[in-house]
Amino acid sequence: MASFSTCDSKTIFFFFGLTAACLSLCSVGSVAELQRFQHPPKADGSLSFLVVGDWGRRGLYNQSQVALQMGLIGEKADIDFVISTGDNFYEDGLTGVDDPAFNESFSNIYTAPSLNKQWYNVLGNHDYRGDAEAQLSPVLRKIDSRWLCLRSFIVNAEIVDFFFVDTTPFVDDYFTNPKNHTYDWRGVTPREDYLSNLLKDVDSALKDSSAKWKIVVGHHTIKSAGHHGVTQELVTQLLPILKANNIDFYVNGHDHCLEHISDTHSEINFFTSGGGSKAWRGDIKQWSPEELKLYYDGQGFMSIQMTKASADIAFYDVFGNVLHKWSLSKYLRSATDRTFSYA
């Protein structure tokens, strides 16, 4: 078992080396377990982290201002890590591991001491328009040790398991109607096999999880009142698995806004954190007021603080103002007898 030390001296144990992880995930010929990483909670059993998406614009479109507020909130919350929901580098991903955009959009932007923690990243559709495998390369980790990006993987944090899912290959339009874009599908084709294996792996991992909380992270929306709206391919293929395995939260980016949507047909809450830089003002679709708890068409990010018994969610704008707070309390019962209270 290989191990790496994060910037805040917490040790993350890798079940396999990072290089082996990349090679394994690029192979779709056989079903293999998703790579797992351990990130222990604090000594008191709590966990705190930030979520940001759709950010990589060399500091433009208020990316630097969002990063500043993330640093301030991250310090107050004593965060353990940061999650990126994808579209890490605009407009067309990275050109390779030596692309200066990596430093210009990541290392030189998120400089606050509180953000000098592990970053767990997924790929977005814009990342696939460049050299997608560059973002998966261990070379980037040597440049900035905070960086960890794989197609799909799991982070075990004792009280919660995180399941990071590569959602871009699900979207039909990227294959049938790519317009003027060129996508890097190395490691994904044959697509049917890739998606079939991924869905099996996610379902199996969710079934095996004994954590009190289950959070799934992907780039694309499942429920959204934003510009892109609902991703029908995920509704059809991924959502049934998430419902069957009683996950708690699905967290995504893709729509350049901040959202909280509940589900009247399940206990899943859907959070969009795609306000890391450029936002789309006034671009909102009709949605049931019963489900739509927050829609904010500006820049910002979200924080989540968790214990075994509760989760506290907050959304912040580019000035650090709180837009929305929401708490979920889970009594310490088995997964088959869960009781929730909402505030």
Side-chain angles (χ1 to χ4, degrees):
M1 182 188 300
S3 64
F4 294 79
S5 178
T6 63
C7 304
D8 64 343
S9 298
K10 286 186 177 180
T11 301
I12 297 180
F13 297 94
F14 285 61
F15 277 60
F16 297 94
L18 187 56
T19 302
C22 294
L23 292 174
S24 174
L25 289 169
C26 288
S27 173
V28 298
S30 61
V31 178
E33 288 187 2
L34 299 177
Q35 300 301 306
R36 293 176 180 266
F37 305 89
Q38 300 292 330
H39 200 126
K42 297 180 178 68
D44 64 0
S46 67
L47 197 69
S48 178
F49 56 95
L50 303 181
V51 184
V52 66
D54 304 84
W55 42 267
R57 297 183 186 272
R58 293 178 168 86
L60 300 177
Y61 296 97
N62 285 337
Q63 183 194 358
S64 293
Q65 286 77 7
V66 172
L68 173 64
Q69 296 302 328
M70 287 174 62
L72 296 174
I73 299 301
E75 182 177 2
K76 292 179 182 178
D78 188 20
I79 62 168
D80 298 284
F81 53 83
V82 180
I83 288 175
S84 168
T85 56
D87 276 1
N88 307 316
F89 302 99
Y90 285 96
E91 287 286 330
D92 298 313
L94 296 178
T95 59
V97 295
D98 56 352
D99 190 334
F102 181 72
N103 285 322
E104 294 168 356
S105 289
F106 177 62
S107 298
N108 297 345
I109 301 296
Y110 302 101
T111 57
S114 68
L115 304 181
N116 194 26
K117 305 289 176 67
Q118 187 69 53
W119 281 59
Y120 296 110
N121 308 273
V122 292
L123 296 173
N125 53 297
H126 282 268
D127 300 311
Y128 266 102
R129 293 177 187 176
D131 183 348
E133 293 192 348
Q135 293 194 46
L136 312 179
S137 172
V139 172
L140 293 189
R141 189 173 179 86
K142 293 179 181 178
I143 297 172
D144 192 322
S145 61
R146 297 176 295 174
W147 185 261
L148 175 63
C149 183
L150 298 177
R151 297 187 196 275
S152 300
F153 60 101
I154 300 169
V155 174
N156 302 124
E158 296 184 12
I159 61 172
V160 53
D161 283 344
F162 298 87
F163 304 84
F164 294 79
V165 179
D166 184 21
T167 60
T168 300
F170 283 91
V171 181
D172 293 334
D173 262 2
Y174 302 148
F175 293 85
T176 62
N177 186 29
K179 300 179 181 178
N180 296 323
H181 306 300
T182 300
Y183 290 88
D184 180 7
W185 296 129
R186 291 175 297 167
V188 172
T189 54
R191 180 189 178 208
E192 184 176 341
D193 291 344
Y194 180 83
L195 294 180
S196 175
N197 289 343
L198 177 55
L199 290 169
K200 290 175 184 176
D201 289 346
V202 170
D203 186 37
S204 175
L206 285 168
K207 283 181 167 58
D208 290 343
S209 173
S210 60
K212 288 294 181 182
W213 301 89
K214 299 177 186 179
I215 298 177
V216 176
V217 179
H219 176 65
H220 289 78
T221 59
I222 291 181
K223 283 179 173 278
S224 174
H227 174 79
H228 292 296
V230 171
T231 306
Q232 191 57 49
E233 295 91 340
L234 295 184
V235 172
T236 302
Q237 299 177 68
L238 181 61
L239 184 56
I241 292 173
L242 307 187
K243 287 184 174 181
N245 288 285
N246 301 310
I247 77 157
D248 298 287
F249 307 145
Y250 178 77
V251 183
N252 61 271
H254 198 44
D255 271 338
H256 295 190
C257 59
L258 303 173
E259 293 181 273
H260 174 196
I261 298 179
S262 64
D263 186 3
T264 55
H265 302 293
S266 75
E267 294 175 338
I268 302 173
N269 281 270
F270 298 84
F271 300 108
T272 296
S273 185
S277 59
K278 188 177 183 179
W280 298 323
R281 287 290 186 184
D283 199 343
I284 180 173
K285 297 177 174 66
Q286 286 190 332
W287 201 275
S288 165
E290 183 181 357
E291 290 191 342
L292 188 60
K293 310 300 182 185
L294 169 72
Y295 185 91
Y296 179 69
D297 57 352
Q299 293 107 342
F301 59 98
M302 65 181 293
S303 71
I304 303 181
Q305 300 184 64
M306 309 186 74
T307 67
K308 276 187 178 181
S310 64
D312 297 305
I313 285 84
F315 286 85
Y316 301 88
D317 68 11
V318 68
F319 304 107
N321 299 315
V322 177
L323 299 168
H324 175 64
K325 280 189 173 182
W326 181 81
S327 297
L328 176 63
S329 297
K330 178 182 292 191
Y331 297 117
L332 302 181
R333 297 182 180 180
S334 68
T336 57
D337 185 22
R338 299 188 297 172
T339 303
F340 298 86
S341 64
Y342 294 86

